[in-house]
Amino acid sequence: MKIFIDTANLDMIREINSWGILDGVTTNPSLIAKEGTDTPSRVREIAKIVDGPISAEAMALDAESMIAEGRELAEIHPNINVKLPMCIESLKATKVLAAEGIDVNMTLIFSAHQALLAAKAGASYVSPFVGRLDDIGLRGSELIDEIMHIFSNYGIGTEVIAASIRSPSHVLEAAAAGCDIATIPYNILKQMVAHPKTEEGIRKFIEDYCKDKE
Ligand code: G3P
């Protein structure tokens, strides 16, 4: 499973990139606003750090404007894909952008119907939101299972990005479902590294080694 980081923070991106595990980056308007910047300039900076797909979300709400904004974002760097929110207008825009060779990441996916339609329109990626489904008492990870199953039935090449990841368990559930990509916040990536028994083991090895030298 490919690992993306879900952030617009450059220090976090640099840090995780240095671990040698990073395949790409997703941003969204909330994450960009948190950094006090704008999408075009931030994704330009990110492309200098990471060699992999970078999602830049368009703010337009009608197909024509989404297409225009999508073209502008895609112009910034060959690794940029255009994130569009799932709706009728974005399906229309996806068809046009995909025909021009521009990758679309259809975001705010909350059902398998939406994922299927996005794939049919030509989206390169769909982003089901696991945590936000859990927030309303549903099982977000079950949606990943369902989409993976449907896409495999028909050999659909659209990649599934497990998004709105809130815990290391969400990452494992995505991997168990055969999900193509998980986009993971910085704090969850740090949690994935840590294990109390590993830390205890390191301390003990050092202690024993130093004792032996006394
Ligand atoms: O990039 C979209 C996404 O991952 C949002 O996560 O935690 O705001 O639901 P969250």
Side-chain angles (χ1 to χ4, degrees):
M1 184 172 65
K2 285 177 262 187
I3 291 182
F4 289 6
I5 185 168
D6 195 26
T7 187
N9 182 283
L10 297 180
D11 290 335
M12 290 178 184
I13 293 169
R14 272 190 211 101
E15 165 70 11
I16 302 301
N17 194 44
S18 76
W19 293 5
I21 54 110
L22 192 64
D23 298 300
V25 180
T26 52
T27 67
N28 66 37
S30 307
L31 294 170
I32 296 278
K34 215 157 104 184
E35 300 303 315
T37 181
D38 61 89
T39 298
S41 49
R42 185 46 54 107
V43 293
R44 188 172 289 114
E45 288 303 306
I46 296 171
K48 289 182 195 155
I49 303 169
V50 179
D51 183 19
I54 299 158
S55 289
E57 191 154 340
M59 297 304 297
L61 290 175
D62 65 276
E64 206 182 311
S65 317
M66 283 176 180
I67 294 163
E69 195 179 345
R71 285 177 182 145
E72 275 173 32
L73 289 168
E75 270 290 295
I76 295 172
H77 192 278
N79 284 347
I80 304 280
N81 58 73
V82 179
K83 221 177 180 188
L84 297 177
M86 176 66 199
C87 60
I88 292 170
E89 291 302 298
S90 64
L91 288 173
K92 296 178 194 168
T94 297
K95 187 178 187 304
V96 175
L97 291 170
E100 293 175 12
I102 295 173
D103 288 333
V104 171
N105 173 2
M106 194 70 92
T107 191
L108 290 165
I109 295 285
F110 289 94
S111 75
H113 321 115
Q114 293 177 323
L116 188 57
L117 292 176
K120 291 283 293 182
S124 299
Y125 307 95
V126 289
S127 292
F129 276 35
V130 177
R132 291 194 197 184
L133 280 169
D134 288 2
D135 288 346
I136 56 164
L138 298 172
R139 295 197 175 120
S141 293
E142 286 182 358
L143 176 59
I144 305 285
D145 281 329
E146 198 181 6
I147 296 172
M148 292 314 297
H149 180 73
I150 292 169
F151 282 13
S152 104
N153 281 349
Y154 298 101
I156 291 171
T158 301
E159 291 190 271
V160 179
I161 306 181
S164 185
I165 295 272
R166 305 275 176 76
S167 67
S169 304
H170 279 158
V171 179
L172 289 189
E173 285 157 13
C179 194
D180 303 282
I181 301 158
T183 188
I184 310 173
Y186 179 77
N187 62 323
I188 307 295
L189 286 161
K190 297 273 267 201
Q191 284 177 31
M192 285 168 68
V193 177
H195 195 288
K197 293 302 281 180
T198 306
E199 283 140 34
E200 180 191 289
I202 292 172
R203 267 198 311 274
K204 180 88 173 74
F205 283 150
I206 293 171
E207 235 173 70
D208 291 347
Y209 189 79
C210 294
K211 220 183 287 163
D212 204 45
K213 299 260 177 290
E214 280 167 10

